[in-house]
Amino acid sequence: MSLEEEINKRRTFGIISHPDAGKTTLTEKLLLFGGAIQSAGAVKSNKIKKAATSDFMEIEKQRGISVATSVMAFNYKDTKINILDTPGHKDFAEDTYRTLTAVDSVIMVIDCANGVEAQTKKLMEVCRMRNTPVIVFINKMDREGQDAFDLLDEIENTLDIKVRPLSWPIGIGATFKGVYNMHEKHLNLFDSNKTKIEQDIVSIKNLDDPALTDKIGEQAADKLREDVELIEGVYDEFDEEKYKSGEIAPVFFGSALNNFGVQELLDTFIKIAPFPRSRETNVKVVNPTDKDFSGFIFKIHANLDPKHRDRIAFLRICSGKFERNKFYQHVRIDKKVRFNNPTSFMAQDKSVIDEAFPGDVIGLYDTGNFKIGDTLTEGENMEFQGIPSFSPEIFKELINKDPMKTKQLEKGIQQLTDEGVAQLFIQQPGNRKIVGTVGELQFEVIQYRLKHEYGASAEFQPKNFHKACWMTSDNDEKIDEFARRKAQYIAKDKDDNYVFLAQTAFLLQSAEADYPEITFHTTSEFKRAIA
Ligand code: G4P
């Protein structure tokens, strides 16, 4: 098969949702359709527990599980589908944001009763940053929920994206009868059944077809005709190009738990979802069809076995063909590296692969050479953009409790932050280590792992910072001047950039007012963009 054919058959995407909306259930149903798993429950039993937990066994288990389920690949109707898992727990949000840099599109699951929720909004913001195409799946239609029109309005208003329903629900909760597929003009009748894959699809010629009334009754048929007329009048025709540029999101209704609406979602997905897209580097745009291989690391996971310090780095292939045992350029450290057991993840199985293509995600065993955002190429000196760090929300200073283990602590915190568990900022004088995260759980994870994997004892002292801001200016002297004046609130990030640790929103505003020449950013993405 030619490189182009390999690329065209791949779809790499993430499922995102606020916890509990049904992401795990939908993932599992998609895997069932793809024949990648045989029974419902296979993914579920592995799912990351959502409650914040101090049970360290649980944390360990989660790390292992998320390696296993980070990528799930399966074949469906000649398409190779790669689902990248995004942790549901909000404390792992940054991990999710980074994973989204490696997908070409997303499916967003929304609970029909809760509508748009806090995590949904944040995730959508990340999708907007790179115009990632979004398909919306409104889930749990078998339960009482909000009116479908209200839900669509809420999505448009709070997520700032246009929507276009492609299916329409008939009733909801107790009165839910099924959905009408507006594109294919057929009825899909609901039958509560959690394991069945085939569904009863009734084709009708049009909404005046007597078969409609026969199947769903007079009242429901009238309501459906009215709704569809309204939709056709209010919403523009579905425009695939606008979906691909992230301007409009097609919407489906269903019930993942009951396997309902999942197949039409999947069938539409493989028809419209973009295949591997071009990506920007600091020197040029890389097209997947470019002959030379390139890719970037978006996630790093420590291995489960603490006795072996090796890690798995997840590489998204962006162009060309990746081959086992071939030497590639590790751009940041300017070294040739090769991999003799690169791994692919077909559903639950890991296996060593000889080659992989754009859109694929493979696992590379790493002994500490990789950081998130690293680029591999066939020799070219370029780096992929847009693996951002976001400002953490909680800051704490790492205090060494065992001076005999200083070296271990230094190494441990460095490696854990390379993995992206948290961000490390170094403050002077005294090389003070400020650790920033998006959730409390991370501090527990770090403390535990420093002890068990590096033998270092540490504790955390809360720091009262509101945001970490990266700075840019046309005049670098201004940044230096600012750094001198505000020395006690300045730190350096992993790439040696100055970061302003603003104590309050007010102090950040005053800094902006006092230093109009400096732009303060709460994500680090701009750095590569201006490089
Ligand atoms: P998440 O990954 O987005 O966090 O959500 P998950 O799939 O775990 O689903 C959260 C809960 O919602 C689960 O119930 C799941 O069974 C239920 N659910 C998912 N899809 C549907 C649906 O279409 N209809 C209904 N009625 N429920 C749905 P749980 O009680 O938390 O877990 P479990 O005891 O079922 O495992």
Side-chain angles (χ1 to χ4, degrees), residues 408-443:
Q408 284 86 337
L409 183 78
E410 296 270 338
K411 184 169 174 197
I413 193 67
Q414 200 63 52
Q415 292 199 343
L416 293 181
T417 48
D418 282 354
E419 243 181 64
V421 176
Q423 288 181 58
L424 179 63
F425 303 103
I426 304 287
Q427 237 190 349
Q428 301 302 346
N431 268 332
R432 293 200 312 279
K433 295 175 184 57
I434 310 292
V435 175
T437 69
V438 287
E440 286 289 345
L441 188 54
Q442 253 77 344
F443 292 104

Side-chain angles (χ1 to χ4, degrees), residues 55-100:
D55 178 348
F56 292 118
M57 276 316 289
E58 197 53 49
I59 293 172
E60 286 297 282
K61 219 161 65 196
Q62 287 174 16
R63 282 174 43 219
I65 289 158
S66 32
V67 171
T69 61
S70 278
V71 189
M72 288 160 280
F74 65 94
N75 292 307
Y76 179 74
K77 296 189 177 168
D78 292 334
T79 306
K80 181 173 180 208
I81 297 183
N82 296 311
I83 306 182
L84 304 198
D85 190 34
T86 54
H89 195 298
K90 76 169 177 29
D91 287 6
F92 290 92
E94 178 131 3
D95 202 13
T96 299
Y97 301 156
R98 277 191 304 257
T99 298
L100 291 180

Side-chain angles (χ1 to χ4, degrees), residues 213-415:
T213 320
D214 288 351
K215 289 287 176 193
I216 63 173
E218 185 101 32
Q219 211 182 354
D222 283 346
K223 171 89 168 65
L224 178 65
R225 285 188 203 103
E226 243 171 63
D227 284 355
V228 171
E229 197 181 320
L230 193 60
I231 294 160
E232 308 289 358
V234 171
Y235 295 98
D236 293 338
E237 275 293 299
F238 174 61
D239 180 334
E240 209 173 304
E241 286 316 306
K242 285 196 174 153
Y243 153 67
K244 288 206 168 80
S245 57
E247 289 166 69
I248 192 160
V251 180
F252 290 87
F253 293 82
S255 165
L257 187 65
N258 292 291
N259 236 327
F260 188 77
V262 178
Q263 177 137 35
E264 54 188 351
L265 173 73
L266 187 56
D267 285 337
T268 310
F269 171 81
I270 57 168
K271 246 188 256 162
I272 65 172
F275 45 76
R277 307 166 101 193
S278 311
R279 272 157 206 271
E280 280 180 37
T281 68
N282 56 341
V283 293
K284 65 173 192 187
V285 172
V286 168
N287 292 311
T289 47
D290 291 353
K291 205 176 89 311
D292 287 345
F293 155 79
S294 68
F296 65 88
I297 305 289
F298 64 94
K299 187 183 180 99
I300 294 177
H301 249 294
N303 228 347
L304 254 193
D305 184 354
K307 284 185 229 94
H308 300 103
R309 200 51 68 65
D310 57 347
R311 318 187 285 181
I312 297 181
F314 289 83
L315 176 87
R316 150 90 198 207
I317 295 162
C318 299
S319 69
K321 177 161 100 171
F322 173 93
E323 289 174 76
R324 183 156 85 105
N325 276 329
K326 192 166 167 179
F327 277 102
Y328 291 118
Q329 174 74 3
H330 185 324
V331 176
R332 181 177 54 83
I333 59 172
D334 190 20
K335 259 197 193 151
K336 296 275 180 221
V337 287
R338 69 174 177 159
F339 305 92
N340 56 21
N341 52 358
T343 311
S344 80
F345 307 86
M346 288 300 280
Q348 312 269 295
D349 297 328
K350 286 196 286 179
S351 54
V352 172
I353 46 116
D354 290 318
E355 52 183 37
F357 296 92
D360 285 342
V361 169
I362 56 174
L364 303 175
Y365 287 92
D366 170 40
T367 46
N369 284 329
F370 283 124
K371 280 190 187 182
I372 285 168
D374 280 348
T375 298
L376 287 181
T377 69
E378 214 150 322
E380 201 164 348
N381 194 8
M382 63 181 186
E383 288 189 274
F384 284 96
Q385 296 181 11
I387 320 284
S389 299
F390 293 83
S391 173
E393 283 160 29
I394 308 173
F395 297 86
K396 294 188 184 186
E397 183 173 348
L398 182 72
I399 310 285
N400 187 0
K401 297 303 284 178
D402 181 356
M404 303 294 284
K405 297 282 168 62
T406 304
K407 275 225 169 75
Q408 284 86 337
L409 183 78
E410 296 270 338
K411 184 169 174 197
I413 193 67
Q414 200 63 52
Q415 292 199 343

Side-chain angles (χ1 to χ4, degrees), residues 6 20 69 76 89 110 211 263 306 371 406 411 465 469 476 493 495 502 515 522 525:
E6 292 283 2
D20 262 354
T69 61
Y76 179 74
H89 195 298
I110 289 179
Q263 177 137 35
K371 280 190 187 182
T406 304
K411 184 169 174 197
F465 295 126
C469 301
D476 282 347
D493 76 355
D495 300 319
Y515 288 83
T522 51
E525 182 146 74

